[in-house]
Amino acid sequence: ANELRPEQAAWASLLAGAVVQTLTLMSGFMEAQEPAMNNEMHPGMWGIVSDARRWVLVHMFPGRDPILQKWPHGATVLELAGKKEVSLLLRCLQKLLAGDAGWVTGRSRPSADAAGTPPRSDAAATPH
C-alpha cells in the first residue's frame, strides 16, 4: 500500500547508498582523528548528502550511532521544491559551516522565522 513510484524508488536508493558511503568516509576520518574526537566537547562530524534536489544531513559522534537530521516538516530528506526550501537549506548550511550547531545539540535554539527552523536530531540512522 505504501509502495514508492519508480522515480521515488530511484532517488531513495541513490540517497541511501550515498548516506552509507558518507558514513563510511566519516568513520575513517574519525579513526584518523581519534584523540581529538574523544573529547566530550567535540561537536562531531557532519555529512551532507545530496542529488542537488534532495538533501540529507547526517551527524556522527565517536562511539555512538549516527543521526539523520529531521527537517522542520519531520522528514529526513529536504526536497528543494521552491524558494522556501532553498532558503531553509541555505540558513541551515550557513549555521553548520559557521560552527553554530547548538540547535542540534540542544545548547541553544534559534528563534523560528517565516521559513521554519533548523533541522532537529531525533532519529537514529541505521544504514542498510
Side-chain angles (χ1 to χ4, degrees), residues 30-95:
M30 284 186 167
E31 286 180 26
Q33 298 179 7
E34 192 169 337
M37 295 298 290
N38 285 331
N39 180 343
E40 286 186 25
M41 295 305 293
H42 195 283
M45 288 188 147
W46 287 96
I48 301 171
V49 178
S50 178
D51 67 356
R53 181 178 175 103
R54 295 161 197 90
W55 292 73
V56 176
L57 296 177
V58 182
H59 199 192
M60 192 171 188
F61 294 93
R64 295 185 7 206
D65 290 337
I67 300 167
L68 286 176
Q69 298 305 127
K70 285 194 170 186
W71 297 96
H73 58 286
T76 55
V77 177
L78 174 65
E79 186 164 356
L80 301 184
K83 290 180 183 179
K84 179 180 169 186
E85 293 83 9
V86 172
S87 177
L88 173 62
L89 173 68
L90 293 176
R91 278 194 322 280
C92 291
L93 292 178
Q94 180 183 21
K95 288 189 173 297

Side-chain angles (χ1 to χ4, degrees), residues 100-114:
D100 178 16
W103 46 271
V104 173
T105 62
R107 293 188 186 125
S108 69
R109 184 150 180 103
S111 60
D113 60 13

Side-chain angles (χ1 to χ4, degrees), residues 1-54:
N2 266 345
E3 291 186 33
L4 296 176
R5 293 187 312 242
E7 69 272 5
Q8 289 174 317
W11 67 254
S13 177
L14 174 76
L15 288 178
V19 166
V20 171
Q21 288 178 336
T22 300
L23 292 173
T24 301
L25 285 170
M26 291 169 68
S27 292
F29 290 143
M30 284 186 167
E31 286 180 26
Q33 298 179 7
E34 192 169 337
M37 295 298 290
N38 285 331
N39 180 343
E40 286 186 25
M41 295 305 293
H42 195 283
M45 288 188 147
W46 287 96
I48 301 171
V49 178
S50 178
D51 67 356
R53 181 178 175 103
R54 295 161 197 90

